[in-house]
Amino acid sequence: MPRTPIKLSEHIEYLSILDEHAEVDRSLEPTLTSENLKTLYRYMLLTRRLDERMLIMQRQGRLSTFAQTFGHEAISLGAAFAVTKDDWFVPYYREMAGMLYRGWPPENFLLYWNGFEEGASVPKGVNDLPFCVPIASQLPHAVGIGLAINIQNEKKVVLAFFGDGAASEGDCHEAMNFAAVLNAPVIFICLNNQYAISVPVSHQMKSATIAQRALSYGMDGIRVDGNDILAIYAATKEAVDKARSGGGPTLIEALTYRLTPHTTADDPKRYRSEEEVSLWQKREPLLRFKKYLYDKQILLQTEEEKLEMEITEEIKLAVEKAETLAKGKELNNPLRMFDYLYAEIPPSLQKQKEELAEYLKRKGAPVTNA
């Protein structure tokens, strides 16, 4: 019998609307009001300034090692702007911009990266999961939420974020396969920032893009300029509308660059060149979007100066609140570590908790909630 070719779709698009010179493609420009655009800029700027403040605090010994979001702001924020509060948001650990927009207080991030799990407590009324540091483990959870949405016949969607390193993990493949097979309303958003810590994408995979993997799973896929918040919003909105109407999952590869170390404990000079970093610094999202707003006369210098002062004060108050909480008895009570694994603590853990309480009492340590 002769070999017969199997016809497969090989169509993967790349989307960019606002290029690195802030030149916009008017035919693709999404319909957003001036207030919408100002809101996007405010949360991008808040995230950038909070990230910068956290780095200073880490260098001062006032914050533990953390993963910066510098240069990643457009992805999670543009995507979050395309969904409602009723939809679900499943981050990994560089989605601070989207989470701030969805209602997370700044002090939560300060507490979390200082070792207090209470910082991961989801604010009331927010359909989010907390930060997820174990690589790709959040993706099956996102699909599980999507399946629950289908079972309950709801019109919600799930945004699930992960990095290029996570794209090489088994959990990622399993999640996307299940989502496609079971038609879960999940939008997978890969922050391809070129490096899985020190391993470049070229050493992780042979394929030209991560987006093309969508074809093998039987879902739509697209590669987007991850430093272009307009393109991220437009691509996510299209995927959200499709998922909400029963069209199933989409894979969005957001191409960006990690302008900072992987975490504050990393030294990227050991594995990448200053020339490469300099090239990508010219493409970063905040300055590009700022120029776009100035060109459209939506943002004026006086407004920007006022916004900078407001954000400085907001961050100052968040730092004060976080550091006050971090010194308080409630967060420094070791017995609390038993309280978050189960809805109802089982007898075995209750016994351990009581034993620890008795030990601390003998040592004269002030504890409560035994």
Side-chain angles (χ1 to χ4, degrees):
M1 296 291 289
R3 296 186 180 186
T4 305
I6 299 173
K7 293 182 179 181
L8 297 173
S9 170
E10 296 292 341
H11 188 61
I12 290 290
E13 294 180 335
Y14 174 73
L15 177 63
S16 179
I17 299 174
L18 182 68
D19 71 14
E20 62 187 273
H21 307 294
E23 296 293 331
V24 65
D25 186 330
R26 300 294 178 188
S27 67
L28 297 174
E29 192 176 14
T31 303
L32 292 167
T33 67
S34 295
E35 288 306 310
N36 289 156
L37 295 170
K38 285 182 178 180
T39 297
L40 288 172
Y41 184 71
R42 186 191 192 285
Y43 280 96
M44 286 184 77
L45 187 62
L46 171 61
T47 306
R48 179 67 60 87
R49 297 295 178 254
L50 180 57
D51 189 85
E52 291 168 346
R53 183 72 177 107
M54 289 168 67
L55 180 61
I56 292 171
M57 291 175 67
Q58 194 274 333
R59 297 300 191 235
Q60 292 173 333
R62 297 164 63 192
L63 197 71
S64 299
T65 295
F66 76 99
Q68 290 188 261
T69 62
F70 192 112
H72 296 74
E73 300 93 347
I75 301 173
S76 64
L77 180 57
F81 213 71
V83 296
T84 71
K85 277 209 164 187
D86 290 332
D87 295 314
W88 284 84
F89 189 97
V90 180
Y92 79 125
Y93 49 78
R94 297 194 200 273
E95 282 70 49
M96 190 160 69
M99 295 169 78
L100 285 167
Y101 171 69
R102 285 178 63 82
W104 288 73
E107 56 267 22
N108 275 48
F109 302 102
L110 296 166
L111 287 171
Y112 180 81
W113 290 117
N114 228 349
F116 293 97
E117 196 62 29
E118 287 82 359
S121 179
V122 181
K124 187 176 181 180
V126 177
N127 283 349
D128 292 9
L129 296 191
F131 272 160
C132 185
V133 175
I135 301 299
S137 60
Q138 74 278 15
L139 299 180
H141 301 161
V143 177
I145 295 171
L147 296 180
I149 288 171
N150 283 348
I151 290 169
Q152 296 177 34
N153 199 30
E154 296 176 330
K155 295 296 181 182
K156 299 177 183 178
V157 301
V158 185
L159 299 183
F161 298 85
F162 61 105
D164 52 278
S168 300
E169 294 284 336
D171 283 2
C172 179
H173 298 289
E174 292 162 10
M176 285 197 275
N177 185 56
F178 267 98
V181 170
L182 299 172
N183 205 48
V186 182
I187 294 88
F188 296 94
I189 302 176
C190 177
L191 289 79
N192 180 358
N193 63 18
Q194 317 291 312
Y195 287 90
I197 307 183
S198 61
V199 182
V201 172
S202 60
H203 291 184
Q204 295 182 61
M205 58 197 72
K206 193 69 174 176
S207 58
T209 70
I210 293 173
Q212 70 196 65
R213 295 184 180 183
L215 303 174
S216 62
Y217 295 119
M219 68 173 79
D220 290 338
I222 186 171
R223 175 180 264 197
V224 180
D225 182 348
N227 291 340
D228 174 5
I229 195 166
L230 301 182
I232 291 293
Y233 168 78
T236 307
K237 183 68 166 58
E238 183 178 294
V240 165
D241 290 345
K242 180 174 72 74
R244 207 183 298 283
S245 62
T250 298
L251 170 60
I252 297 174
E253 177 189 3
L255 190 64
T256 185
Y257 191 81
R258 201 192 70 220
L259 292 169
T260 62
H262 172 68
T263 69
T264 49
D266 175 40
D267 179 10
K269 292 182 180 179
R270 298 179 63 182
Y271 54 82
R272 65 186 192 185
S273 68
E274 291 184 10
E275 292 78 14
E276 181 180 279
V277 177
S278 178
L279 175 66
W280 279 93
Q281 281 176 336
K282 299 171 185 175
R283 302 170 179 171
E284 72 103 331
L286 182 62
L287 293 180
R288 180 189 308 194
F289 191 53
K290 173 182 172 180
K291 187 175 186 304
Y292 167 76
L293 296 181
Y294 267 90
D295 289 346
K296 290 175 74 73
Q297 297 185 326
I298 289 173
L299 181 67
L300 304 176
Q301 185 175 349
T302 53
E303 291 178 304
E304 185 186 5
E305 291 170 353
K306 181 182 177 183
L307 182 59
E308 287 276 14
M309 288 190 291
E310 290 174 358
I311 286 173
T312 297
E313 183 63 20
E314 184 176 349
I315 292 172
K316 177 186 175 184
L317 293 174
V319 170
E320 291 174 355
K321 185 173 183 179
E323 293 193 326
T324 298
L325 288 169
K327 295 173 184 176
K329 292 182 180 180
E330 185 177 4
L331 297 193
N332 286 282
N333 182 357
L335 296 179
R336 287 172 64 89
M337 68 181 172
F338 293 94
D339 297 338
Y340 302 104
L341 190 57
Y342 297 95
E344 296 181 11
I345 187 169
S348 58
L349 279 187
Q350 181 62 37
K351 182 180 178 182
Q352 292 178 40
K353 184 177 180 180
E354 291 169 357
E355 289 175 351
L356 178 59
E358 182 61 32
Y359 171 81
L360 293 171
K361 184 178 180 180
R362 291 200 305 271
K363 293 293 184 180
V367 294
T368 58
N369 193 28

